[in-house]
Amino acid sequence: MKQSAPFLGLTQVLERVRGTTSKNEKVGILAEYLAKLQPSDAEVAARVASGRSSERGSKDEAQVGYSTLLDVLREATGATEAEVSRTYLRHGDLGEVAEELLAEKKEQTLFDEQLTLAALGDAFAKLRSTKGQGSTSAKKGVVKSLLLSASPLEGKYIVKVLTGEMRTGLVSGLLEEAIASAYGLSKPEAARAHMVLGDIGVFANRAARGDVSGVRIQPFRPVNFMLAEPFATAAEIAEHFGRTVYAEYKYDGIRAQVHKSGRKVRIYSRRLEEITSSFPEVVASLQGARGDFVLDGEAVPFEGGRPLPFQLLQRRLRRMEDFEAAAKKAPITYFAFDILFRDGKETVDLSLAERRKHLAKVVAGTTARMAETVDVSTQGEIQAAFRRSRDLGYEGLVVKDPDSLYGMGKRGSGWAKLKEELDTLDVVIVAAEYGHGKRAGVISDYTFAVRDGDQLKTVGKAYSGLTDKEIDEMTEKLKEITVRDFGYRREVKPEIVLEVAFDSIQRSGRHDGGYALRFPRIKRIRTDKGVSDIDTIEKVEKMFSGQKLKVDER
Ligand code: ATP
């Protein structure tokens, strides 16, 4: 095998990518670089360029907390705590702090050995496999030795990847384009292979090998989920489809892709993370099913023929209680609504009507269930199905075109969702404050933001909606991810996603998004979503003008 390429080359390329706002130029620069790499290097480079240190779908992440990284930076550069926080205040980005501190490093270590992409990949693998007791100090050791052998520019990107904050403007679509262009793939070919492989690094590796045409869905390689388009009324849905379609309950649980091969079952979340150990009942219910398959569905807390409140799932998801306690509180039923692969063949290109026939055969005889479907066509029928769903305790409806294919990763027009409360937004916490009175001593006020391109813009502050227990847990978590501590107020790494309901939207000079949500209430903590899944300022603007329209009409 050829020698692995130096990591420095990639960091220089990423700097050039950051330096231009032209999407074409970003793609061109990266494509030219990738084309020269051997497959295993292309894998590491593409993954790093996407801001990840581990393969999507892997159970283990190379997570290193902010406070650990700050410690390591001090140790590796000899900087004092005050120096680090001064530098941070200037940049607001830990990667750039690393670059500056490494450049001024007091004990300059001389290194003649260059850090290669392969060595970087190995170090990330080591971080992933370091778990349990003593793992923090072992991880520190790995990061420290990486930083000691890194140039300032390399240090910057190592820290950027470990904090998940690349800010190169290289969204996944552009990376996909660069890989397509580097290895001579058409756009649709690249899109499909990327979708099926899930991970950008694995995709780059296969593309570099010239081995993309044979890429197929296979068990234990999660693929991106099909998403539904939101509609405000039954009338709009009836008009959108204009014919007889399926209405399914919108189950309120956790989206789960269940893969089975032989007797082995694995479960993946909407973010393509493995969550098998959180749902042993789902494993048990499908282990005995016939054949191999990949199913899409919802893991729902369900008892006595009715759904239980979603909140009962939260602790289980954060692995805060043992399984027996969790199962007693909220036993799970898996409601399957789709099938992507069965016995060696993809089923995504069959119609939904055909897919449901396959699904029925797989689920028969197990304790998993198929999502219930009724045929609807008129506004009245959709409205009636919606009412029934709400009366039974479901969230609403997902209405589906029986002829539609499974659009991996697409918010397609084939699926339409109807919920009671339209006015919720998915936002991320960027800062938090200690509460008052009964809430003194706990961090209970959360400032939240939506996305604006690759930036975050604040649009409100939420105080209510969580239980005392949840606030205690939140307090702990927020302390862990604090970036700047101002005493009563903390800035935190943007990673906790909340779904907030609110009464209306106002223009506001107090938040840098230019809007403020009125009376925001936390509906739930969306552990299934990451910062890239949150809503955008465009959506806020759209809701704002929609609401104005309604007021004007009145
Ligand atoms: P939401 O915040 O409404 O859950 P989302 O962004 O997670 O939305 P969407 O695809 O927009 O995802 O909405 C559909 C969601 O509804 C799915 O993610 C899935 O978790 C859930 N769901 C419940 N029942 C069904 C069903 N029968 N078919 C499809 N999705 C369903």
Side-chain angles (χ1 to χ4, degrees):
M1 201 166 83
K2 276 203 306 192
Q3 253 228 312
S4 173
F7 175 46
L8 189 64
L10 174 62
T11 61
Q12 287 160 343
V13 162
L14 291 175
E15 282 292 285
R16 286 175 55 210
V17 166
R18 245 162 69 100
T20 168
T21 49
S22 150
K23 289 182 180 166
N24 283 341
E25 268 180 51
K26 285 180 196 282
V27 168
I29 295 167
L30 203 67
E32 187 193 344
Y33 169 73
L34 287 171
K36 294 187 208 127
L37 298 181
Q38 56 181 326
S40 56
D41 279 352
E43 175 163 345
V44 177
R47 202 171 285 135
V48 166
S50 79
R52 293 184 66 88
S53 52
S54 49
E55 189 175 328
R56 282 194 90 170
S58 86
K59 207 165 50 225
D60 310 310
E61 296 272 336
Q63 269 167 359
V64 185
Y66 251 76
S67 59
T68 309
L69 277 173
L70 288 169
D71 283 352
V72 176
L73 271 175
R74 278 199 304 270
E75 285 174 28
T77 63
T80 64
E81 202 163 332
E83 280 169 327
V84 173
S85 64
R86 250 200 323 272
T87 321
Y88 189 88
L89 281 175
R90 209 155 357 97
H91 295 288
D93 177 297
L94 211 52
E96 285 173 22
V97 174
E99 181 178 28
E100 182 170 329
L101 295 178
L102 284 168
E104 301 169 348
K105 187 157 62 172
K106 304 208 169 114
E107 305 158 39
Q108 274 289 350
T109 25
L110 283 179
F111 258 89
D112 41 19
E113 213 178 304
Q114 251 189 342
L115 184 60
T116 61
L117 289 169
L120 183 69
D122 290 346
F124 286 155
K126 212 186 264 169
L127 285 176
R128 281 197 296 279
S129 61
T130 309
K131 280 183 233 158
Q133 262 207 340
S135 64
T136 308
S137 79
K139 281 186 175 187
K140 264 189 192 170
V142 176
V143 180
K144 190 173 167 187
S145 72
L146 262 179
L147 289 182
L148 285 175
S149 63
S151 68
L153 191 59
E154 290 172 314
K156 162 164 142 181
Y157 280 96
I158 291 168
V159 170
K160 275 179 167 294
V161 171
L162 290 177
T163 55
E165 291 168 358
M166 282 302 269
R167 304 202 178 107
T168 47
L170 253 187
V171 292
S172 159
L174 292 186
L175 255 172
E176 185 181 293
E177 239 181 281
I179 293 169
S181 145
Y183 308 113
L185 301 172
S186 72
K187 273 193 189 174
E189 240 180 336
R192 179 166 170 108
H194 181 198
M195 212 40 94
V196 170
L197 293 168
D199 178 72
I200 194 87
V202 174
F203 166 49
N205 188 324
R206 291 283 286 258
R209 282 176 206 282
D211 178 22
V212 155
S213 59
V215 169
R216 296 276 180 278
I217 295 176
Q218 66 184 59
F220 310 141
R221 210 198 272 137
V223 303
N224 287 301
F225 290 79
M226 178 160 178
L227 300 172
E229 191 148 337
F231 282 80
T233 62
E236 284 173 38
I237 294 188
E239 190 188 313
H240 171 73
F241 289 113
R243 59 208 197 85
T244 304
V245 285
Y246 298 158
E248 288 175 4
Y249 294 137
K250 188 169 190 298
Y251 297 92
D252 199 6
I254 286 290
R255 188 86 179 260
Q257 206 172 85
V258 177
H259 291 225
K260 173 175 176 285
S261 176
R263 293 269 310 160
K264 207 163 174 174
V265 173
R266 283 193 194 148
I267 308 173
Y268 300 92
S269 72
R270 194 176 178 286
R271 299 165 74 182
L272 310 191
E273 285 160 353
E274 201 192 326
I275 49 168
T276 313
S277 60
S278 293
F279 296 107
E281 309 102 306
V282 178
V283 175
S285 69
L286 285 161
Q287 210 158 33
R290 257 192 302 154
D292 297 350
F293 48 76
V294 174
L295 308 183
D296 185 3
E298 191 96 349
V300 186
F302 194 82
E303 201 170 32
R306 289 183 79 102
L308 302 170
F310 171 86
Q311 275 67 17
L312 294 173
L313 263 185
Q314 303 257 15
R315 290 175 65 77
R316 174 195 294 240
L317 284 172
R318 277 173 282 145
R319 309 218 176 96
M320 309 261 323
E321 56 192 356
D322 67 61
F323 162 67
E324 262 170 49
K328 207 183 277 166
K329 204 184 289 169
I332 298 289
T333 297
Y334 184 64
F335 285 86
F337 45 73
D338 224 306
I339 182 162
L340 282 59
F341 169 96
R342 184 175 179 215
D343 295 335
K345 287 200 202 83
E346 287 183 352
T347 51
V348 281
D349 293 330
L350 301 177
S351 68
L352 175 59
E354 287 297 319
R355 297 202 301 279
R356 281 188 64 93
K357 289 184 198 154
H358 284 282
L359 186 58
K361 288 187 187 137
V362 167
V363 173
T366 73
T367 54
R369 301 211 198 168
M370 238 171 115
E372 277 176 57
T373 294
V374 287
D375 287 353
V376 291
S377 64
T378 63
Q379 172 190 350
E381 284 165 355
I382 296 172
Q383 196 57 43
F386 180 74
R387 273 284 121 235
R388 205 159 44 242
S389 148
R390 297 291 300 180
D391 290 346
L392 291 171
Y394 299 105
E395 213 190 349
L397 294 181
V398 185
V399 182
K400 301 177 179 180
D401 176 355
D403 291 332
S404 62
L405 313 185
Y406 190 92
M408 290 177 273
K410 286 196 195 121
R411 197 173 286 285
S413 49
W415 290 9
K417 66 176 169 182
L418 185 61
K419 287 203 266 188
E420 183 85 276
E421 194 165 24
L422 232 207
D423 286 349
T424 76
L425 281 169
D426 291 335
V427 299
V428 72
I429 302 181
V430 292
E433 285 168 32
Y434 282 94
H436 309 282
K438 176 171 154 272
R439 300 254 159 103
V442 290
I443 305 179
S444 60
D445 300 0
Y446 314 112
T447 302
F448 53 77
V450 292
R451 263 187 313 126
D452 182 6
D454 61 359
Q455 295 186 350
L456 295 172
K457 294 277 169 68
T458 57
V459 290
K461 212 167 160 192
Y463 314 83
S464 72
L466 298 183
T467 63
D468 287 348
K469 214 167 185 177
E470 282 173 323
I471 293 174
D472 287 343
E473 288 164 22
M474 195 66 123
T475 301
E476 286 312 303
K477 177 78 196 166
L478 289 165
K479 283 183 182 165
E480 268 169 43
I481 59 170
T482 293
V483 179
R484 279 156 77 179
D485 185 349
F486 300 100
Y488 79 102
R489 177 184 162 87
R490 288 159 181 260
E491 272 179 24
V492 298
K493 182 175 175 207
E495 67 174 37
I496 302 177
V497 177
L498 304 175
E499 182 176 339
V500 291
F502 50 92
D503 289 358
S504 60
I505 301 176
Q506 291 179 317
R507 281 203 192 280
S508 157
R510 205 150 33 100
H511 294 288
D512 60 11
Y515 295 96
L517 307 190
R518 255 173 81 75
F519 302 119
R521 316 172 274 283
I522 301 169
K523 279 202 74 182
R524 66 177 62 160
I525 305 166
R526 293 293 302 243
T527 40
D528 59 328
K529 290 195 175 181
V531 63
S532 57
D533 301 314
I534 64 173
D535 284 310
T536 57
I537 194 79
E538 286 83 23
K539 178 152 175 198
V540 174
E541 273 155 13
K542 215 165 126 191
M543 284 177 153
F544 176 74
S545 11
Q547 146 201 308
K548 257 185 59 199
L549 216 71
K550 271 190 212 153
V551 174
D552 294 348
E553 276 167 12
R554 241 183 264 155

